[in-house]
Amino acid sequence: MNEPREERRIDYVELQVSDMAATKKFYGGLFGWEFVDYGPDYASFNDGRLDGGFAVVDKVSVGAVLLVFYSKDLEALIQQIEEHGGRIVKPTFEFPGGRRFHFADPSGNELAAWSDR
């Protein structure tokens, strides 16, 4: 069976948010993501590789998906996360493949970042 390369692959990630402006400021400032607005309650994003979206909801359901980012310098990333309105929810810890920490965006979505040893 010769299916297209995109078949059964992650194609889009959508996160719930409570504040669109704070969300765009956080991800745009921290990661340089670009946005396209589709009204006041939805914006798509592109991180240079992956497309996704932010949907404004009354109450964010935390914990459904964990996005994990790679960073060569976790300490610098922690500082930038806090400068852009995020907060650390699980301090840096070691695991067999390296080091990792968890953080929350302004809407409370939990994300993680890891680095090689």
Side-chain angles (χ1 to χ4, degrees), residues 18-94:
S18 58
D19 183 328
M20 186 64 74
T23 298
K24 288 167 61 177
K25 181 178 178 185
F26 179 78
Y27 288 98
L30 184 61
F31 297 119
W33 291 4
E34 296 179 359
F35 308 97
V36 175
D37 293 322
Y38 293 95
D41 295 332
Y42 199 90
S44 67
F45 67 79
N46 182 277
D47 74 352
R49 201 171 54 146
L50 177 71
D51 291 309
F54 298 117
V56 175
V57 296
D58 291 330
K59 183 175 184 207
V60 174
S61 301
V62 179
V65 174
L66 180 66
L67 299 178
V68 181
F69 300 88
Y70 178 82
S71 176
K72 290 181 182 178
D73 187 344
L74 293 182
E75 288 71 24
L77 182 58
I78 288 170
Q79 182 178 352
Q80 292 173 340
I81 287 167
E82 292 172 338
E83 288 172 1
H84 287 92
R87 61 186 170 81
I88 305 306
V89 297
K90 184 183 270 189
T92 304
F93 61 93
E94 291 191 19

